[in-house]
Amino acid sequence: MVSEMGTEVEAVQWLNGALTLLDQRCLPQQEVYLTCTDVAAVATAIQKMVVRGAPAIGIAAAYGVVLAAKQRYWQAAEEWQYHIDQDLTLLAQSRPTAVNLFWAIARMRERIKHIGGDDPVHRLLHEAESIHHEDNQANRCMGELGARLITASCNVLTHCNAGALATGGYGTALGVIRCAFRLKKIHQVYADETRPWLQGSRLTAWELLRDNIPVTLLADGAASYLMKQGNIGWVIVGADRIAANGDVANKIGTLGLAVNARYHGVKFMVVAPTSTVDLSLSHGDAIPIEHRPAAEVLTLGGESVAATGAQAWNPAFDITPAALIDAIVTEKGVIESPDQNKTMALMQNEVYLPQN
Ligand code: MRU
């Protein structure tokens, strides 16, 4: 499918009164679309990673609220606002780390509070579509802002998938890469395969190649040696939650990249909309980290690869301290060498835009 605003894929779509999701577990082998007609199906799709990536999870949840309202209003028009609360709780329980989920639910909840006794569906759908559209616009803006930071033509390294698949379109980290590549500021994109879910080799590679951007994959453990070769200018990643002091939760392995980048003199850029910033948490250690089933580490493509009896530790995210981050790019502007004062100022609209 080709989006109105670009050639990149649409992972989340509202079609014929239901939520259609590109099942990201099947990529790149198969392009399978899954239709969710009730809120429970949306919560399950988020939990099982049919849809993944912080902004996309939030957008899917917002449409999930529309489906919940439809059902609750149809069941009991006078009491739907009371009963929908349990649906919002169900959605909030689907995954713990990406704050965009809770941000989108809170925004839909606020909208619910201000709807009177009328049929709520079209008003909530309008809100969900606004969340979706605003995310797409934010990504295009961040793409340009992030590309401005790349002053000399270079190679870049990304991790996980922070692209159109993970957002309302265009992508965060991949939005910057898309924009900088078109401006001929990037020679070569390297992508970590990103064990255990292989978002890099399955999703990022698929998405970039579809957009005619060449990509070279590497095993996660090879990133340090790649940086030592001296030809990487920037590591560019997305985020699942950014604390008030600029600490960043992102896909497991991001912290290792940031440590390596600093050691090797490589710049480190985080690209995320302000819906990913959580000012209620003063620092990254307070961010809840999702731990996923051991089977994801012990198996590959459904086949057991580990010695029988081995256990596995499987945190899905880690925290990169602000001190290791050169720039956080948001749609409101760029924070260089982030800290609490700069994050607060940005969220209060005191924006700083790089010049070149
Ligand atoms: O477990 P996932 O695939 O949902 O993790 C996704 C990431 O860590 C992304 O980097 C992050 O959500 C940013 S997506 C624009």
Side-chain angles (χ1 to χ4, degrees):
M1 277 177 217
V2 172
S3 107
E4 278 168 32
M5 290 187 268
T7 54
E8 74 278 1
V9 67
E10 288 181 89
V12 181
Q13 293 176 82
W14 182 262
L15 290 174
N16 306 320
L19 179 64
T20 297
L21 299 170
L22 174 56
D23 190 341
Q24 300 191 30
R25 299 168 305 178
C26 305
L27 289 172
Q29 284 81 11
Q30 290 174 296
E31 261 181 68
V32 176
Y33 288 85
L34 193 142
T35 299
C36 302
T37 54
D38 61 37
V39 63
V42 177
T44 304
I46 295 171
Q47 197 251 322
K48 303 249 182 243
M49 312 256 295
V50 171
V51 57
R52 32 72 43 205
I57 291 171
I59 294 162
Y63 286 121
V65 175
V66 179
L67 292 171
K70 204 176 184 180
Q71 204 170 356
R72 295 291 177 193
Y73 187 76
W74 181 77
Q75 283 166 348
E78 302 77 43
E79 294 168 13
W80 73 272
Q81 272 166 314
Y82 171 74
H83 291 295
I84 202 169
D85 226 46
Q86 57 195 278
D87 302 321
L88 303 192
T89 304
L90 180 74
L91 285 167
Q93 284 166 346
S94 56
R95 288 191 80 185
T97 304
V99 77
N100 306 62
L101 172 68
F102 309 102
W103 172 89
I105 293 171
R107 194 164 144 176
M108 296 303 281
R109 191 190 293 280
E110 199 53 32
R111 197 78 190 86
I112 288 169
K113 270 204 265 171
H114 295 102
I115 295 179
D118 300 341
D119 185 339
V121 175
H122 79 273
R123 275 182 246 186
L124 291 178
L125 179 57
H126 182 261
E127 190 70 4
E129 285 175 337
S130 299
I131 289 173
H132 193 165
H133 179 73
E134 287 165 23
D135 188 68
N136 192 309
Q137 293 301 109
N139 291 339
R140 280 158 212 281
C141 175
M142 290 187 288
E144 286 179 22
L145 292 179
R148 282 192 218 170
L149 293 170
I150 304 175
T151 47
S153 188
C154 65
N155 297 333
V156 299
L157 171 63
T158 190
H159 189 65
C160 193
N161 171 267
L165 287 167
T167 64
Y170 200 67
T172 56
L174 291 195
V176 171
I177 289 173
R178 278 194 162 92
C179 185
F181 186 81
R182 303 274 176 247
L183 295 170
K184 303 199 186 314
K185 290 181 163 190
I186 293 178
H187 293 302
Q188 179 66 41
V189 181
Y190 289 92
D192 285 340
E193 62 177 354
T194 318
R195 274 284 285 155
W197 265 81
L198 300 176
Q199 287 95 331
S201 46
R202 294 190 307 104
L203 308 178
T204 292
W206 180 80
E207 184 179 326
L208 289 178
L209 292 172
R210 214 171 169 276
D211 212 8
N212 295 315
I213 299 176
V215 58
T216 301
L217 289 167
L218 57 146
D220 299 1
S224 177
Y225 190 49
L226 178 70
M227 289 189 228
K228 186 176 186 298
Q229 310 292 307
N231 66 349
I232 299 291
W234 285 88
V235 174
I236 307 178
V237 297
D240 282 80
R241 198 183 295 222
I242 301 175
N245 70 345
D247 290 351
V248 166
N250 191 49
K251 180 53 55 193
I252 191 73
T254 304
L255 169 60
L257 290 178
V259 171
N260 266 299
R262 183 57 54 92
Y263 181 80
H264 291 107
V266 172
K267 298 273 200 179
F268 195 89
M269 185 193 306
V270 175
V271 190
T274 49
S275 54
T276 305
V277 178
D278 183 355
L279 291 183
S280 76
L281 302 181
S282 59
H283 54 81
D285 289 344
I287 298 175
I289 297 294
E290 176 182 17
H291 283 254
R292 296 194 57 93
E296 293 179 356
V297 172
L298 301 175
T299 61
L300 194 56
E303 299 290 321
S304 178
V305 286
T308 307
Q311 296 178 0
W313 184 61
N314 188 16
F317 302 97
D318 57 27
I319 308 292
T320 298
L324 293 178
I325 298 169
D326 292 290
I328 296 178
V329 177
T330 77
E331 81 283 10
K332 287 192 175 183
V334 175
I335 311 174
E336 288 182 303
S337 306
D339 62 20
Q340 176 146 357
N341 288 339
K342 293 180 192 173
T343 310
M344 294 298 213
L346 176 110
M347 294 303 278
Q348 287 154 12
N349 284 322
E350 292 172 31
V351 294
Y352 160 68
L353 302 176
Q355 291 311 305
N356 50 307

